[in-house]
Amino acid sequence: MPEKNEQIVLAGRPEGMPSQEHFAFEEVSVEEPQDGQVLVKTIYLSVDPYMRGRMSSAESYVAPFEVNEVITGNVVGEVVASKSSLFEPGDKVMGMLGWKRYNTIEDAAVRKVDESIAPLSAYLNILGLNGLTAYFGLLEIGRPVAGETVVISGAAGAVGMAAGQIAKLRGARVVGIAGTDKKTDYLKTELRFDETINYNAVSNLETALEEACPKGVDVYFDNVGGPVSDAVMTQLNDFARIPVCGAISSYNKTEDTGPRVQPTLIKSRALIQGFIVGDYASRFQEGSEKLAAWLSEGKLKYEETIVEGFENVPEAFLGLFTGDNLGKQLVKVNEPAAGVE
Ligand SMILES: NC(=O)c1ccc[n+]([C@@H]2O[C@H](COP(=O)([O-])OP(=O)(O)OC[C@H]3O[C@@H](n4cnc5c(N)ncnc54)[C@H](OP(=O)(O)O)[C@@H]3O)[C@@H](O)[C@H]2O)c1
C-alpha cells in the first residue's frame, strides 16, 4: 500500500476565466480497499472543457462540483490492490474518478481497458467519450453524405479531429476551423482535411468560409459557438444540419450576445440540435466497436497533448481555454508500471 496520496479540490467558484486559485491541493492518506473495492493508481487524467460548467453553481446536465470537494473526471489507471473478485493488481481500468493520485473505489465504478487494442491514453480520447461524441453527433444529427461540405469548429481538438475524420470516411468534403497555423497544418497534412481556416489569422471569417466552401455548408459540427459559429451560420445550404456539441467560446463569459439565428434557420430550413453524448449511452458498445475497428484498420488517427505531473493538472485544464492543446489534453500522473511507488 502506498502511504501518501494527494487530491485536488475546487477551492472556489470562478466568475469568468478560472485560474490556479480555484484549485487546491491536499495531502491525504490512501484508503485501504474494503470488500468489493479496488485501489487504483492514476496513470492518465483527462481535463475537459465541460468541467468549467461544473465549477459554477448553475444547474446543468451534470451536477456542479462542490466547493472543497474533490474534482472528478475521467481517469485511466492501474489496480494496485484489490478486494474485488473482478480485478487483480496490474489490471488497467478506466472510470469517472477523483482528481487524486490514488482512488479507493467500488469495483462497479471502473471497467477494464484492453492495451492490446490501443495504448491506454486512447481510452480517454478516440476510444472514449470524445470519439463517441464525434461519432454520434456527426452521424445521428449531422448525417453527412458523400460530396457534401462539412465544417467543423474546434477542429484540432479531441472531438473535432474525430468528427472531421469520420466525415471524410463518409465521403464528405471537410473544412476545419482552428486557432493556430500549427493546428491547421496538422489537419491538412496528417488528417487530410480538404480545407482549413485559422480563425485567428483571417481578417474576415465569412469571406474565408466562402472561399473554403464554394458550394456552401451542408453540415456544421459546432464545438465552439460565438463569433466562429456566427460566421458559419451565414454560409448554410438549404436543409443544412447543425449538431451543437459545445460552446467553449462562452464558457468563461459572464455575458454573451450574438445575432438572432431564427431568420437564418427559416431561410435555410436548417436543423440545429444540441446533444449530450450520454443521450446515446445505450449505443456506446456499437460506437466503441466501430471506432476501434476504424483505428485498427488505420482509417482513424488520434492526437494527444500530454502534460507531465499531477501538480500541473490545473494548468492543463486552463490551457483548454487558450488553445494550448493539439488533440486531446491529458495529464500523465504516474508510469503504468505494475506495483506501487
Ligand atoms: N455534447 C457533448 O456531449 C460533449 C462531449 C465532449 C465535448 N463537448 C464539447 O465539445 C467541444 C470540444 O471538446 P474537446 O474535449 O474536443 O476540447 P478540445 O477541442 O480538445 O479543446 C478545446 C479547444 O477549444 C478551442 N477554443 C478555446 N476557446 C475558444 C474560443 N473562444 N473560440 C473558439 N475556439 C476556442 C481551442 O482551440 P483553438 O486553438 O482552435 O481555438 C482549444 O484547444 C467543447 O466545447 C466541449 O465542451 C461536448
Side-chain angles (χ1 to χ4, degrees):
M1 283 279 295
E3 280 176 10
K4 281 194 175 168
N5 199 2
E6 206 177 2
Q7 62 188 24
I8 303 173
V9 302
L10 181 67
R13 298 200 186 281
E15 281 284 316
M17 183 72 182
S19 62
Q20 295 273 354
E21 75 193 28
H22 298 106
F23 303 93
F25 287 78
E26 294 179 345
E27 277 207 10
V28 288
S29 55
V30 179
E31 288 167 42
E32 204 169 316
Q34 305 300 308
D35 285 347
Q37 291 189 324
V38 285
L39 174 63
V40 176
K41 176 172 79 169
T42 300
I43 297 174
Y44 291 107
L45 184 153
S46 172
V47 291
D48 294 274
Y50 81 90
M51 292 172 166
R52 173 62 185 85
R54 299 193 71 186
M55 294 174 80
S56 104
S57 59
E59 286 269 314
S60 187
Y61 59 91
V62 262
F65 297 130
E66 295 299 330
V67 175
N68 295 326
E69 294 287 332
V70 178
I71 292 173
T72 54
N74 272 306
V75 163
V76 164
E78 177 176 6
V79 174
V80 291
S82 175
K83 286 231 175 119
S84 158
S85 56
L86 304 176
F87 298 97
E88 52 190 52
D91 283 346
K92 305 299 187 304
V93 294
M94 72 175 293
M96 185 66 85
L97 306 183
W99 277 10
K100 298 172 96 163
R101 289 183 186 271
Y102 294 91
N103 279 275
T104 303
I105 31 107
E106 301 300 319
D107 57 10
V110 286
R111 65 177 176 85
K112 283 186 195 171
V113 293
D114 185 350
E115 278 180 286
S116 70
I117 295 175
L120 292 177
S121 60
Y123 289 91
L124 297 177
N125 189 349
I126 192 82
L127 296 184
L129 288 178
N130 291 290
L132 292 167
T133 301
Y135 180 88
F136 288 110
L138 183 78
L139 297 181
E140 294 299 316
I141 303 170
R143 301 190 311 277
V145 297
E148 285 191 325
T149 298
V150 176
V151 172
I152 319 262
S153 59
V159 175
M161 277 184 188
Q165 292 180 85
I166 296 168
K168 292 281 304 170
L169 287 170
R170 281 285 184 271
R173 183 169 178 282
V174 176
V175 177
I177 306 174
T180 65
D181 285 346
K182 181 185 165 197
K183 293 182 181 187
T184 53
D185 286 350
Y186 177 91
L187 295 174
K188 259 201 140 162
T189 54
E190 295 294 326
L191 303 187
R192 304 277 165 213
F193 278 36
D194 297 281
E195 284 295 339
T196 55
I197 299 169
N198 173 354
Y199 70 91
N200 283 318
V202 293
S203 53
N204 186 319
L205 188 50
E206 279 183 37
T207 311
L209 278 159
E210 266 169 33
E211 283 166 15
C213 310
K215 293 184 180 167
V217 176
D218 299 296
V219 178
Y220 173 42
F221 192 99
D222 188 2
N223 278 314
V224 305
V228 169
S229 297
D230 295 343
V232 182
M233 293 295 281
T234 66
Q235 307 297 315
L236 297 181
N237 285 335
D238 288 352
F239 303 105
R241 285 85 62 200
I242 307 164
V244 181
C245 176
I248 192 167
S249 69
S250 66
Y251 294 173
N252 296 311
K253 292 242 165 77
T254 47
E255 264 181 42
D256 200 10
T257 55
R260 306 278 183 258
V261 295
Q262 287 82 354
T264 308
L265 295 175
I266 295 164
K267 182 168 148 270
S268 62
R269 287 89 88 212
L271 171 82
I272 184 164
Q273 185 181 332
F275 73 99
I276 297 162
V277 63
D279 298 341
Y280 300 95
S282 65
R283 294 175 56 196
F284 278 2
Q285 183 72 19
E286 165 207 324
S288 301
E289 283 171 11
K290 193 73 195 166
L291 290 163
W294 279 332
L295 191 65
S296 71
E297 291 161 16
K299 292 179 177 168
L300 267 190
K301 290 185 183 174
Y302 66 95
E303 186 59 56
E304 56 197 14
T305 298
I306 298 181
V307 164
E308 302 267 345
F310 190 66
E311 65 282 8
N312 294 318
V313 171
E315 182 191 320
F317 171 72
L318 297 172
L320 293 169
F321 303 102
T322 45
D324 292 2
N325 59 306
L326 175 68
K328 174 70 197 156
Q329 181 66 63
L330 297 172
V331 181
K332 190 171 186 183
V333 175
N334 278 299
E335 287 298 326
V340 295
E341 292 148 51

